[in-house]
Amino acid sequence: MAEPIVGIATAAGEGGIAIVRMSGEGVVELFQQVFVPNRQKPPFESHKLMYGRVMDGDTVLDEAMGVVMYAPHTYTREDVCELHTHGGAAAAGLTVKLLLRLGARVAQAGEFTRRAFMNGRLDLSQAEAVMGIISAQSAAALKASQRQLQGGQSRFIKDCQQELTGLLAGLEAHIDYPDEIDEDEALSGLAHGLSLLIDTLSSAIDRRGSRILREGLRVALCGRPNAGKSTLFNALLGEERAIVTAVPGTTRDVLEGCFSLDGVNVFLCDTAGLRQSDDLVERIGVERAEQTLRQADVALLLIDATKAPDPADLALMQREMPCPRAVLLNKQDAGAAFTPADALALGIKEPVYSVAAQTGEGLSQVYAFLRQYLNLPKQLVLTQERHMELAGDALTRLRQAQSGLTGGAPLDLAAIDLHEALYLLGRITGDSVDEQLLDDIFSRFCVGK
């Protein structure tokens, strides 16, 4: 077993409890030195929570619950002990200092999960999923990380590795024993198998979908002043976040808010009205609105439908946007002078909807439009940028091998490419790993995990 480590596993700040976690050789003895249960006596039963006191000699540091968990049936596959003290900095902090004085050392960031990986309880992909669960900002992101922790991504990568190993075996058999295995036999099925593997791995890399899953869909609300952008912003969020007045140019900066749609976060950006202005502050707001449009996944262009569109409205509707958009003819509840049929007659090709942001009329159409851009696969295979980067590099090597075989390049060059692809896939699961990679990954974890 490794040296005993200790860390606070709960978030900093005030709360009901704080969990002091220990793992490694000798932690049971440390636990027995500091924790005095009301009834139980050593040896303690595994995985049974006990009520007692944390003691520093004859001094009571805190009332607490304590639990001993014996290897290998623990998170790290080492002996693990926990002390559940009162929340806040004082009780847990004093308990940690006591344990350090008795021989434990402070756990490094992510060291508990790193030990779980080193001891074979998790592969590297599953270890990263732990951090994904902790940092998940939406229900969809949480489910994706939970699938990763349960081994879904690992099984996919291992299947690819197994297929690639089989392709390599036939190729290397000819390279090593050319007199016994001829080239036609070695190449039999290689081209087809390589093509299938490339298609399989390529379909698993969806950078846009994975980004939206992790970070949310960015939606820019744009239009001329007083088109109803801030009213729509408040309506979609379900709260009064933006100031709404009849004065044009009220919104002068980008205001952001978030709501959940089908378990995915949607980030709304309420922008300044798009128009020419002599007001310096408003001009800065318009510039920021343009920047927001360039960064958005989708835009909603609002037009005041209570009057016929003037040249400025027409220019906005006919303008090319840097992202997909829908045109919303707003204020239908105040009487429509401009309808979707009128917009289509002008040659507007994007979806056009009649809405009333003030009353909520037509918002179901807006949700349906946004759902098109949340139409993610039910189970995105690769959801982390590091994994997609490695899988993309592996794809490059597979395609190089495919091109070389087609072009008549020496077979040993194709074998080198396939070996490199296998190595890159192994860096996803941890089969091909080094200390620098582990340091980089686990340094992003909190100390107690």
Side-chain angles (χ1 to χ4, degrees):
M1 285 190 181
E3 61 182 325
I5 57 173
V6 59
I8 299 176
T10 42
E14 296 182 359
I17 62 169
I19 298 176
V20 177
R21 176 175 292 160
M22 296 181 283
S23 180
E25 186 174 6
V27 297
V28 176
E29 289 75 14
L30 286 174
F31 178 87
Q32 291 174 359
Q33 290 182 61
V34 304
F35 183 71
V36 180
N38 271 18
R39 297 180 181 177
Q40 296 85 349
K41 293 184 178 181
F44 298 126
E45 185 178 344
S46 185
H47 292 79
K48 183 175 181 179
L49 199 62
M50 301 172 284
Y51 168 70
R53 292 159 293 162
V54 178
M55 302 292 297
D56 182 1
D58 295 328
T59 303
V60 177
L61 295 185
D62 194 19
E63 283 186 295
M65 305 293 288
V67 60
V68 174
M69 295 169 276
Y70 298 108
H73 305 295
T74 67
Y75 182 67
T76 59
R77 285 193 173 166
E78 302 170 344
D79 287 344
V80 172
C81 297
E82 290 182 354
L83 292 163
H84 299 193
T85 70
H86 284 93
L94 289 172
T95 301
V96 169
K97 287 181 180 179
L98 173 60
L99 292 167
L100 294 177
R101 197 169 73 238
L102 294 174
R105 71 163 173 82
V106 174
Q108 298 173 356
E111 190 169 0
F112 290 94
T113 303
R114 184 168 183 160
R115 289 190 177 191
F117 164 70
M118 298 300 294
N119 293 328
R121 186 181 180 278
L122 306 169
D123 68 22
L124 194 55
S125 169
Q126 290 173 303
E128 289 174 281
V130 174
M131 195 62 213
I133 289 173
I134 294 171
S135 60
Q137 298 297 310
S138 68
L142 175 62
K143 288 180 181 178
S145 292
Q146 287 172 335
R147 286 195 297 267
Q148 185 177 331
L149 181 60
Q150 291 163 5
Q153 177 178 287
S154 300
R155 285 191 294 274
F156 171 79
I157 294 297
K158 289 184 184 299
D159 287 345
C160 290
Q161 289 174 304
Q162 185 176 359
E163 180 65 25
L164 183 51
T165 300
L167 296 176
L168 257 172
L171 184 59
E172 291 189 324
H174 166 69
I175 294 172
D176 294 339
Y177 307 102
D179 295 334
E180 299 178 27
I181 301 175
D182 62 29
E183 186 170 324
D184 289 340
E185 184 179 354
L187 296 180
S188 176
L190 178 59
H192 178 66
L194 190 54
S195 180
L196 287 178
L197 183 57
I198 288 172
D199 290 344
T200 298
L201 200 54
S202 180
S203 66
I205 302 174
D206 183 351
R207 294 182 185 277
R208 176 189 170 277
S210 296
R211 180 187 58 75
I212 290 174
L213 184 70
R214 295 191 313 270
E215 302 173 8
L217 183 76
R218 294 191 65 83
V219 179
L221 306 182
C222 60
R224 296 181 64 202
N226 271 15
K229 299 182 297 299
S230 294
T231 303
L232 178 64
F233 180 81
N234 291 338
L236 292 175
L237 291 183
E239 57 179 302
E240 296 297 319
R241 284 285 309 279
I243 297 173
V244 178
T245 75
V247 180
T250 301
T251 302
R252 296 191 171 204
D253 203 349
V254 177
L255 184 63
E256 293 192 352
C258 178
F259 71 95
S260 179
L261 184 60
D262 297 342
V264 180
N265 284 343
V266 177
F267 287 94
L268 291 178
C269 301
D270 182 19
T271 64
L274 299 174
R275 67 171 177 177
Q276 297 294 325
S277 175
D278 295 328
D279 185 303
L280 176 60
V281 176
E282 189 173 358
R283 286 206 308 270
I284 294 173
V286 172
E287 290 172 5
R288 291 185 178 180
E290 296 286 1
Q291 182 181 4
T292 299
L293 280 170
R294 291 191 292 271
Q295 296 172 343
D297 296 305
V298 62
L300 299 175
L301 172 61
L302 276 77
I303 301 294
D304 184 348
T306 61
K307 55 186 178 63
D310 60 22
D313 289 323
L314 293 173
L316 279 178
M317 286 188 284
Q318 293 167 353
R319 168 186 166 179
E320 288 191 10
M321 289 281 185
C323 60
R325 72 171 180 185
V327 177
L328 306 185
L329 305 185
N330 193 26
K331 305 184 183 181
Q332 295 294 320
D333 53 323
F338 186 56
T339 67
D342 297 328
L344 294 174
L346 293 173
I348 306 302
K349 297 180 180 179
E350 293 91 348
V352 181
Y353 305 115
S354 292
V355 300
Q358 186 70 47
T359 65
E361 179 186 345
L363 292 192
S364 60
Q365 301 172 93
V366 178
Y367 291 126
F369 173 75
L370 295 178
R371 281 191 176 93
Q372 298 175 55
Y373 299 93
L374 296 180
N375 189 22
L376 308 177
K378 288 186 177 179
Q379 292 191 5
L380 284 171
V381 180
L382 303 176
T383 57
Q384 295 196 19
E385 187 61 35
R386 187 185 80 86
H387 301 162
M388 288 185 287
E389 195 71 34
L390 287 167
D393 291 344
L395 263 177
T396 298
R397 301 309 290 256
L398 293 175
R399 286 172 175 145
Q400 283 180 195
Q402 185 182 53
S403 177
L405 291 170
T406 304
L411 296 184
D412 54 351
L413 294 182
I416 291 172
D417 283 327
L418 297 184
H419 268 294
E420 181 63 20
L422 193 61
Y423 168 78
L424 290 165
L425 293 178
R427 287 180 73 81
I428 296 176
T429 59
D431 297 334
S432 312
V433 74
D434 54 51
E435 287 299 314
Q436 183 177 352
L437 175 64
L438 295 181
D439 289 344
D440 178 60
I441 290 172
F442 290 109
S443 66
R444 304 170 194 169
F445 280 55
C446 52
V447 170
K449 200 60 180 175

